[in-house]
Amino acid sequence: MNQKTGEAAIPVLDFSVQLSATPRGARLARLLGAEQLRSWGLPLDPARQIIAELAVNAATHGRVPGRDFRLALHVVAGVLRIEVADTRGEELPRSQRPAPDAESGRGLLLVEALADRWGVTGDRFPRKTVWAELRLTPPEPGSPGSGAAGAFPEEREREKDPRRTPPLPPGTGPHSGG
């Protein structure tokens, strides 16, 4: 027997691709991510820049010879979540100020500045996932997405520790078939 509920269906969009942990793989992550956003009718920036920074970090700092990294994009309840998983779980990234004359080391500072929220979660060893979230619509005052918590309600406690985050809500992950 089918029962109808008064709840409107929240559209969930998922995209995932495995890429080589090389500069070419990082470039492909940016291009494929931008094309997927375009096909969903979503704004490209700042998401494209965040994808580029996280993919370069995976190809540079998360690289293990012979192992790939994964780019995943999820849209749930007006929030775009960008995830990049690599196989260097023992190396957790952290945002830090580089020396003024340093030629690199500003990627996570950019992610921190552009994203509404970001963090790191440990997956099954040896993997880790660095993620960032962007609100796609301005929050309404008093709505669950109007504070720092975002659209993934299980993450409200994570705000104090950006390295900890729970998994996506059931049925919304890259392997959910949705």
Side-chain angles (χ1 to χ4, degrees):
M1 169 162 125
N2 290 337
Q3 293 181 342
K4 293 192 177 200
T5 64
E7 298 176 22
I10 297 174
V12 175
L13 303 172
D14 288 305
F15 169 79
S16 180
V17 63
Q18 201 88 3
L19 298 160
S20 64
T22 62
R24 182 173 185 264
R27 180 175 178 271
L28 279 171
R30 180 180 53 83
L31 294 171
L32 293 171
E35 187 54 38
Q36 187 62 51
L37 294 170
R38 191 177 289 115
S39 76
W40 287 340
L42 299 177
L44 297 182
D45 291 313
R48 180 173 37 191
Q49 184 65 38
I50 292 171
I51 292 168
E53 294 300 336
L54 296 181
V56 164
N57 282 353
T60 305
H61 306 293
R63 183 168 196 263
V64 173
R67 302 258 176 103
D68 295 337
F69 74 91
R70 179 180 47 88
L71 166 67
L73 306 175
H74 310 284
V75 178
V76 179
V79 173
L80 168 64
R81 183 177 175 116
I82 301 162
E83 298 179 342
V84 175
D86 65 47
T87 53
R88 290 289 301 269
E90 74 281 4
E91 298 284 328
L92 294 180
R94 61 184 192 280
S95 153
Q96 54 190 7
R97 302 264 177 228
D101 58 344
E103 294 183 16
S104 64
R106 292 172 180 81
L108 285 178
L109 291 174
L110 284 170
V111 170
E112 193 172 284
L114 296 172
D116 293 311
R117 297 174 355 115
W118 78 278
V120 179
T121 184
D123 289 332
R124 288 178 302 186
F125 189 80
R127 289 186 351 181
K128 72 172 176 297
T129 299
V130 182
W131 57 269
E133 290 181 357
L134 294 168
R135 241 185 259 110
L136 298 173
T137 57
E140 294 180 25
S143 70
S146 65
F152 296 87
E154 297 87 2
E155 296 182 359
R156 293 190 177 147
E157 294 178 26
R158 195 233 33 102
E159 290 305 311
K160 295 181 177 124
D161 185 356
R163 295 167 305 206
R164 247 189 81 233
T165 184
L168 289 169
T172 61
H175 303 292
S176 64

